[in-house]
Amino acid sequence: EVKLVESGGGLVKPGGSLRLSCAASGFTFSTYNMNWVRQAPGKGLEWVSSIVTSTSYIYYTDSVKGRFTISRDNAKNSLYLQMNSLRAEDTGVYYCARGRDTAGGYYFDYWGQGTLVTVSS
Amino acid sequence: SYELTQPPSVSVSPGQTARITCSGDALPKKFAYWYQQKSGQAPVLVIYEDNKRPSEIPERFSGSSSGTMATLTISGAQVEDEADYYCHSTNRVFGGGTKLTVL
């Protein structure tokens, strides 16, 4: 059974930092692209960042470039998101999602339960 | 930038067919994917590559795509299908979501 468990969320002041983690199990982690997708309170889904299997390619949505860093440790079956210079608009639930990259497109086939990040003074 | 447009809400009675649309300029060339998100829960993939259904998803869920519009169809919608539904396509873009009410 594929399982993704996020942790590391919490309350942080504007300008602060947080590091999110995602523990993966039930599949060969090193062979899949991984992603972070977030959801602001009462809003829709927003893709944040992706990292390919070998970490050779990393992608970010424009609003987090230069502030967030995605990484992975294939030996520990873990995905991370280092978030610096946090803003109020970064508030939301952050989901870890497994990516599938096919000839027809890229999609997210399994999701974790999410971890809540609240940026507020 | 690329966008996907969904109706904000759709409402049906139990047993009726619910249709949720998603429009986007790239859909003639790219697959559409659909996610179901029940209140307080994580999204779940219900349709991939326009019309394929993961094995654990009930048969009443189906997908189609024609031109610039993709459609998620729930035949004989159940009360437990009440959720937000998001379409998704290329460039990691999501539609704004459609709230399906079944009552």
Side-chain angles (χ1 to χ4, degrees):
Chain A
E1 178 195 6
V2 173
K3 200 170 182 184
L4 300 169
V5 180
E6 302 92 338
S7 61
L11 175 63
V12 61
K13 289 182 169 52
S17 298
L18 274 179
R19 189 192 194 213
L20 306 184
S21 299
C22 171
S25 60
F27 64 102
T28 305
F29 180 76
S30 62
T31 63
Y32 285 87
N33 299 340
M34 296 298 297
N35 311 269
W36 290 99
V37 178
R38 67 185 177 184
Q39 187 170 35
K43 302 296 185 183
L45 301 172
E46 179 189 24
W47 167 76
V48 174
S49 182
S50 299
I51 184 168
V52 301
T53 55
S54 62
T55 74
S56 300
Y57 295 97
I58 286 174
Y59 307 93
Y60 299 100
T61 192
D62 286 346
S63 63
V64 308
K65 284 179 183 174
R67 300 188 299 122
F68 290 11
T69 302
I70 191 172
S71 62
R72 64 190 297 164
D73 185 336
N74 289 337
K76 294 183 177 180
N77 291 338
S78 293
L79 175 72
Y80 307 101
L81 186 67
Q82 177 66 43
M83 304 187 297
N84 298 331
S85 303
L86 282 161
R87 306 167 179 167
E89 55 264 36
D90 296 318
T91 293
V93 176
Y94 284 70
Y95 295 101
C96 165
R98 192 175 81 169
R100 298 298 301 274
D101 196 0
T102 70
Y106 188 93
Y107 64 103
F108 312 102
D109 63 349
Y110 287 96
W111 301 63
Q113 284 302 306
T115 187
L116 176 62
V117 172
T118 303
V119 184
S120 174
S121 54
Chain B
S1 62
Y2 181 64
E3 292 184 356
L4 294 171
T5 301
Q6 299 180 236
S9 63
V10 168
S11 183
V12 298
S13 299
Q16 287 188 328
T17 296
R19 293 183 179 85
I20 299 172
T21 59
C22 173
S23 63
D25 290 341
L27 290 177
K29 302 181 290 292
K30 295 293 184 181
F31 284 130
Y33 308 87
W34 292 92
Y35 305 89
Q36 175 195 65
Q37 187 180 32
K38 295 182 178 180
S39 180
Q41 297 185 21
V44 172
L45 178 71
V46 294
I47 294 290
Y48 65 102
E49 294 180 356
D50 286 348
N51 54 21
K52 296 184 174 69
R53 190 180 62 249
S55 57
E56 64 273 21
I57 301 302
E59 290 185 8
R60 62 180 180 272
F61 288 86
S62 63
S64 62
S65 188
S66 178
T68 59
M69 185 169 288
T71 302
L72 172 69
T73 301
I74 308 172
S75 303
Q78 307 293 309
V79 172
E80 60 263 32
D81 299 330
E82 192 164 281
D84 293 324
Y85 290 85
Y86 295 91
C87 66
H88 168 235
S89 188
T90 191
N91 292 338
R92 297 161 174 76
V93 171
F94 291 94
T98 298
K99 182 175 183 59
L100 174 65
T101 301
V102 183
L103 54 77

